[in-house]
Amino acid sequence: GQPQGREHGLVEASLPAMRGLQKATGETTQICCLVEVENVILNQLSSRHPFKYSAELGARCPAYSCAPGKAIIANLPDEDREELVSRIRFKRFTPTTITNRRSFREELTKIAACGYALDRAEGLEGIHCVAAPVSDRHGYPVGAITIAGPASRILESEFEQLGNLVAEAASKIEFEYGQ
């Protein structure tokens, strides 16, 4: 089950924006949702580069260690966000993984302020991701669009520019999804 809009499911509504984002960045583009405290990949367009990041559809990862999960959580209503954060059991996957609630809450505040989330090789060594939340017509975050790829191509110096591109794609999905 994927989130359903008025006329489209989230995957269908996201395809045009995903294609545009993949073309603009050349990186793997995914649409994800949150299930409990995990991020789930609903659809993916693979990078055009020979060396690429890709995952199985339906794959899950802890929401605190990936950009799309963090983007969704940061935009939940306060009560929902706090309840979810209280259920997370933090585990270190890489040297940059966030491993406590205080640091995670600080990260969520930054995400809510700028409109996009980052994964600085927090779930997988050498993989960076940039994601933005996708909300329904009531403003509730139902998913996130993300790009993922090697840190050698998704550079920290380009995070802001990429974040704005991903946030633009999320706005396009929200328009389609709300129709």
Side-chain angles (χ1 to χ4, degrees):
Q2 63 169 297
Q4 284 294 124
R6 286 184 157 183
E7 308 237 346
H8 307 287
L10 183 58
V11 170
E12 181 183 356
S14 69
L15 278 172
M18 286 178 68
R19 287 185 187 112
L21 189 57
Q22 179 204 37
K23 184 177 180 183
T25 65
E27 297 300 343
T28 296
T29 305
Q30 299 170 332
I31 189 77
C32 304
C33 70
L34 202 60
V35 175
E36 297 294 324
V37 294
E38 293 182 309
N39 180 69
V40 178
I41 299 170
L42 298 175
N43 199 14
Q44 172 178 261
L45 300 176
S46 291
S47 169
R48 297 182 174 152
H49 296 283
F51 179 70
K52 64 188 93 191
Y53 167 81
S54 85
E56 300 281 325
L57 295 186
R60 294 175 178 230
C61 69
Y64 68 89
S65 67
C66 68
K70 292 192 291 184
I72 297 167
I73 295 169
N75 288 278
L76 288 170
D78 293 347
E79 189 175 301
D80 294 352
R81 182 178 57 247
E82 269 311 304
E83 191 276 328
L84 191 146
V85 170
S86 73
R87 290 188 286 128
I88 295 173
R89 302 294 167 248
F90 292 89
K91 176 183 172 188
R92 181 175 302 281
F93 299 106
T94 73
T96 56
T97 306
I98 295 172
T99 58
N100 63 70
R101 283 182 185 76
R102 183 184 52 76
S103 297
F104 189 57
R105 286 184 183 107
E106 289 171 4
E107 178 83 355
L108 296 175
T109 299
K110 291 176 191 172
I111 293 164
C114 74
Y116 58 87
L118 303 171
D119 170 352
R120 301 167 189 89
E122 296 165 46
L124 294 169
E125 192 75 45
I127 300 295
H128 283 173
C129 304
V130 182
V134 174
S135 297
D136 65 14
R137 60 191 169 103
H138 304 290
Y140 193 87
V142 293
I145 184 168
T146 187
I147 59 168
S152 60
R153 286 199 310 261
I154 298 181
L155 305 173
E156 288 195 37
S157 61
E158 297 176 2
F159 280 166
E160 184 177 353
Q161 175 190 355
L162 292 170
N164 291 331
L165 274 175
V166 175
E168 240 177 75
S171 292
K172 291 175 183 174
I173 296 169
E174 289 173 347
F175 179 78
E176 280 298 312
Y177 187 66
Q179 297 299 307

